Amino acid sequence: MALVFVWFATPFMPELDNEERGQLLFLSFLPLVNGLADFASIGLTRWSLRKGVQGMLPWSWVIDLAGAVVIFFGLGAVIILFIHMAQPGGVPLLSLEVLFAEIKGPATRGQYWWLLFMLFSTLIPTVLHGVVAATAFFTIYPKPWRLRITAWLRDAPEDAIAARGGRVTLALAFTLAFFVPVFLIVEAVRWWPGILNGTIWVFEGFACLIGAA
């Protein structure tokens, strides 16, 4: 279906600029491969969540993360290969050199929000799993600490100091459990430009390796 759509658009290719050709891909080939990648990513996350419930926490998220990275870069590689190899009527679907240059440019990067969203959407299930895993991990404290909190809470009705200690330490434990994932997300956002540039560098290197850019 995607190839048929591109084939029908072949006569108009010379009249389209790089952004318009990108939008053509957005309506044809990209939803297909992105849907498959999202399906694989969600399936992997669901499987790793089940393993986590069975006692593999936090290793289940490590497996999920590794698989998500493979799916992410695999999706990018497939898109680059398709753009490089599918040239209906001898007309390139997209100039990868222009694409990489414009994505790297802060002023023109916004034109390709749809491409970035499609790529990074495959990581959403893993990110959400990571938040859950981090929250769960930081509620697993050493047994003596947990016993101490339990004892304080048990003695709270008769002991004001125990009541205060139990409430404070329990609140601290849950605050830490929720603060750490939020902190990691904030740090990821802060380092987003570097993450994006590194990703572009990898994909551009792959494109150069196969002679596509």
Side-chain angles (χ1 to χ4, degrees), residues 124-136:
I124 291 176
T126 302
V127 171
L128 295 177
H129 181 194
V131 172
V132 173
T135 302

Side-chain angles (χ1 to χ4, degrees), residues 78-96:
V78 168
I79 293 173
I80 291 172
L81 279 171
F82 179 80
I83 294 173
H84 176 55
M85 298 179 67
Q87 299 190 15
V91 180
L93 287 176
L94 206 63
S95 171
L96 288 172

